[in-house]
Amino acid sequence: MDFKIGVIRGDGIGPEIVGEAVKVLDAAAERFGHKFSYDEILLGGSSIDVHGVPVTDEALAAAKACDAVLMGSIGGDAATSPWYKLEPSKRPEAGLLKMRKALNLFANLRPAYLYNELKAACPVKEEVIGPEGFDMIIVRELTGGLYFGERHTGEVDGVMTAVDTLTYNEEEIRRIALKAFDIAMKRRKKVTSVDKANVLDSSRLWRKVVEDVAKAYPEVTLEHMLVDNCAMQLVNNPSQFDVILTENMFGDILSDEASMITGSIGMLSSASLNDTKFGLYEPSHGSAPDIAGKGIANPLATILSAAMMLRYSLDLDREADAIEGAVKRALEEGYRTVDIAGKGEKTSGTTEIGDIIAGFVRG
Ligand code: IPM
Ligand code: MG
């Protein structure tokens, strides 16, 4: 079959890791007889450099016209990059937020699981993880809350004051809750809804709506957890979690924390979906400007994001299995980028890992 895939290489290590994911996608296309055509889309710093803005209307339209979009990472070092001298609405991150909103990508799925082969890289003690292992997914609301509220900075009574607002309505909560429960039905049937209902009105509404949605899923166990407690529980007893359902900012923070339990944020893929088959797929990690251009970045999260894209947006399950299997095999055979290598273990560069996995996919 023919598919049109949008490709956002992005900033920092983005172009390096996306290059490897495209290599692996091409290997899958070759093996299974598909044709992937790629539409290059600029977002973030690379768009600022060319167009002066982090995303153009043309880029949004181009993304919309694709079957799905694969992205690397955007942004630079805030202390040194000229992009951060611009006003906040013109910086790289604003482009990504605008794209998420314009494409209505309200559901952000961030799986986190511990590969057997990477147990040594996990900073949590083996006895804390327990025999069940660690395999969870964070379902993060992505187009509402604090990141999309009105904001302004100004003087109030002669004192510089900044205001950010956090708003959720019941429809926004309901649609993300439905996603989380649907996903839980295909997993271990447990949803932990995370909020700050002891303080925030938006969290109290969140709880009410989530409880209402839960009624349609009698097989799923629902528990509520306060976000500060959840941050603690993630390192204290991580295996208790199956699906974490949460709002935008809490999900941003908790997903970085959860990812570290897997040994490296360099392993984790993510999908941002709307209510159609369309999705934007990107690694959970950032653009790591400190290691950009060195050829040592871990491309696995992006390669696994490409596999997720095949599964969720293009309905190519066999092809996704082939990529995920190839990643597992590469780990089993001891291939490691520096971020996931144990002491004294041999390491491979970004392109070497991509070549190995593409080779395994070809069979
Ligand atoms: C993420 C990132 C973004 C977010 C930034 C770059 C705006 O941290 O995808 O987690 O906060 O959503
Ligand atoms: Mg983040």
Side-chain angles (χ1 to χ4, degrees):
M1 294 227 296
D2 285 10
F3 295 98
K4 188 154 127 191
I5 298 170
V7 172
I8 299 172
R9 294 183 192 264
D11 312 320
I13 57 171
E16 295 166 68
I17 53 181
V18 170
E20 300 316 306
V22 168
K23 196 188 271 176
V24 171
L25 281 172
D26 283 339
E30 200 184 304
R31 160 139 174 230
F32 294 97
H34 302 297
K35 194 166 168 289
F36 297 148
S37 56
Y38 302 103
D39 193 2
E40 301 281 341
I41 298 168
L42 289 180
L43 184 75
S46 52
S47 171
I48 298 175
D49 290 345
V50 177
H51 300 295
V53 288
V55 67
T56 60
D57 290 345
E58 290 72 29
L60 295 174
K64 257 186 206 158
C66 292
D67 294 304
V69 176
L70 179 69
M71 183 180 125
S73 44
I74 55 131
D77 179 355
T80 55
S81 163
W83 301 327
Y84 296 90
K85 303 231 153 52
L86 300 166
E87 63 176 88
S89 66
K90 299 228 165 82
R91 293 178 194 166
E93 289 73 10
L96 178 57
L97 294 176
K98 193 165 170 192
M99 180 161 289
R100 287 174 177 166
K101 194 73 171 179
L103 303 180
N104 196 26
L105 304 174
F106 65 87
N108 185 214
L109 317 185
R110 296 191 162 179
Y113 47 87
L114 186 58
Y115 282 87
N116 256 335
E117 295 74 24
L118 295 184
K119 279 202 171 135
C122 171
V124 178
K125 286 199 199 103
E126 210 167 334
E127 61 262 34
V128 172
I129 298 275
E132 313 91 313
F134 176 63
D135 177 358
M136 60 167 290
I137 182 165
I138 295 189
V139 178
R140 168 187 176 195
E141 201 292 326
L142 201 60
T143 53
L146 208 47
Y147 295 10
F148 289 93
E150 274 176 38
R151 63 182 97 255
H152 57 263
T153 306
E155 253 182 50
V156 177
D157 298 332
V159 181
M160 279 303 283
T161 305
V163 179
D164 294 289
T165 52
L166 198 177
T167 307
Y168 270 110
N169 68 40
E170 53 184 318
E171 273 136 37
E172 290 168 317
I173 301 169
R174 187 174 307 277
R175 64 183 180 176
I176 190 71
L178 284 166
K179 276 265 193 248
F181 280 90
D182 284 343
I183 289 169
M185 284 299 288
K186 295 192 192 157
R187 297 178 46 104
R188 301 192 306 277
K189 299 196 171 68
K190 180 175 175 193
V191 170
T192 306
S193 175
V194 174
D195 61 37
K196 188 70 187 172
N198 53 347
V199 178
L200 302 175
D201 266 7
S202 56
S203 285
R204 287 186 273 268
L205 179 64
W206 184 275
R207 255 186 209 212
K208 191 160 162 278
V209 176
V210 170
E211 281 191 357
D212 196 40
V213 169
K215 288 184 191 138
Y217 298 83
E219 285 175 58
V220 177
T221 309
L222 167 67
E223 70 176 14
H224 300 285
M225 194 177 277
L226 297 174
V227 62
D228 44 356
N229 184 27
C230 181
M232 185 268 277
Q233 295 289 338
L234 267 171
V235 285
N236 189 44
N237 178 12
S239 348
Q240 69 181 289
F241 296 108
D242 179 20
V243 178
I244 285 185
L245 160 65
T246 192
E247 62 94 63
N248 202 343
M249 180 175 65
F250 298 158
D252 187 19
I253 298 167
L254 295 175
S255 59
D256 270 29
E257 187 187 359
S259 71
M260 230 15 246
I261 300 171
T262 70
S264 167
I265 194 167
M267 297 297 300
L268 296 179
S269 54
S270 82
S272 304
L273 308 173
N274 61 21
D275 46 17
T276 71
K277 283 253 150 214
F278 180 86
L280 173 78
Y281 298 81
E282 53 170 315
S284 283
H285 61 71
S287 61
D290 52 324
I291 59 162
K294 294 193 176 152
I296 59 169
N298 184 347
L300 292 183
T302 317
I303 292 171
L304 291 167
S305 299
M308 251 183 141
M309 174 178 80
L310 299 184
R311 195 182 299 286
Y312 288 104
S313 284
L314 311 186
D315 280 326
L316 300 178
D317 283 330
R318 261 184 333 156
E319 294 74 352
D321 289 345
I323 294 178
E324 287 165 2
V327 169
K328 204 164 179 334
R329 183 169 156 202
L331 292 172
E332 278 162 8
E333 294 191 11
Y335 293 99
R336 306 268 187 278
T337 41
V338 62
D339 56 313
I340 53 173
K343 269 204 191 88
E345 272 184 329
K346 183 173 99 53
T347 62
S348 304
T350 312
T351 53
E352 190 192 343
I353 296 279
D355 289 342
I356 298 282
I357 292 170
F360 289 164
V361 168
R362 270 195 201 92

